[in-house]
Amino acid sequence: FNDGHLEIVIENLEGQPMILRADADPQNHWISLELHGTKGNLLALNAVVKVIAGDLPQTDEVRSGGSYLSQNDLRLHFGLGNHASADKIEVTWPSGTKETLTNLAADRFYVIQEGKGIVSSHPPAKPPSFAR
């Protein structure tokens, strides 16, 4: 729902899909990164990102699908705990080039383009309200 909280969608072979979402309002911070590559790998598949927030280092890689009939979000989502920013973000692009970004505010979606850095940034959408 682009509200900063992770959801899981399960497609049933028979029947409607199921959406699993946490309704709690977590107090921890997060950051989401969408990478755009150049030179033939526009989805930045296999780009490796290291995020450091205080004493919390994390690493992830842009991956395509997960298994049969599945797809992961191509954006990378990092939990930052109580840290209000990511001190340092290192992107190793599939082409081998590296970029470093510093002091990115938490609780935002960022779009990073290879060779250009941050090209877009926005806060989360207002969470949808569901009738119970």
Side-chain angles (χ1 to χ4, degrees):
F1 298 105
N2 288 322
D3 60 3
H5 304 122
L6 296 179
E7 294 87 23
I8 298 173
V9 178
I10 299 172
E11 177 61 50
N12 297 304
L13 292 177
E14 295 180 16
Q16 295 187 349
M18 246 185 336
I19 300 174
L20 305 176
R21 71 180 269 113
D23 285 334
D25 189 20
Q27 301 302 310
N28 290 324
H29 297 287
W30 55 271
I31 195 166
S32 179
L33 307 173
E34 179 179 337
L35 276 55
H36 292 189
T38 58
K39 302 173 188 156
N41 188 350
L42 301 181
L43 296 177
L45 297 176
N46 302 110
V48 177
V49 177
K50 182 175 182 180
V51 173
I52 300 172
D55 59 349
L56 180 64
Q58 299 176 71
T59 303
D60 202 356
E61 178 180 345
V62 178
R63 294 176 192 85
S64 183
S67 64
Y68 180 69
L69 294 178
S70 71
Q71 175 64 44
N72 298 322
D73 192 342
L74 294 176
R75 297 173 295 183
L76 301 178
H77 185 94
F78 294 91
L80 302 180
N82 62 356
H83 301 285
S85 67
D87 301 321
K88 184 176 178 181
I89 295 178
E90 298 172 342
V91 179
T92 304
W93 296 95
S95 65
T97 60
K98 294 185 180 189
E99 284 185 63
T100 301
L101 306 162
T102 57
N103 300 320
L104 272 67
D107 307 326
R108 296 187 69 81
F109 293 93
Y110 291 93
V111 177
I112 302 171
Q113 186 171 356
E114 184 175 5
K116 293 186 179 180
I118 297 169
V119 295
S120 174
S121 167
H122 63 87
K126 182 179 177 188
S129 59
F130 295 99
R132 299 222 182 253

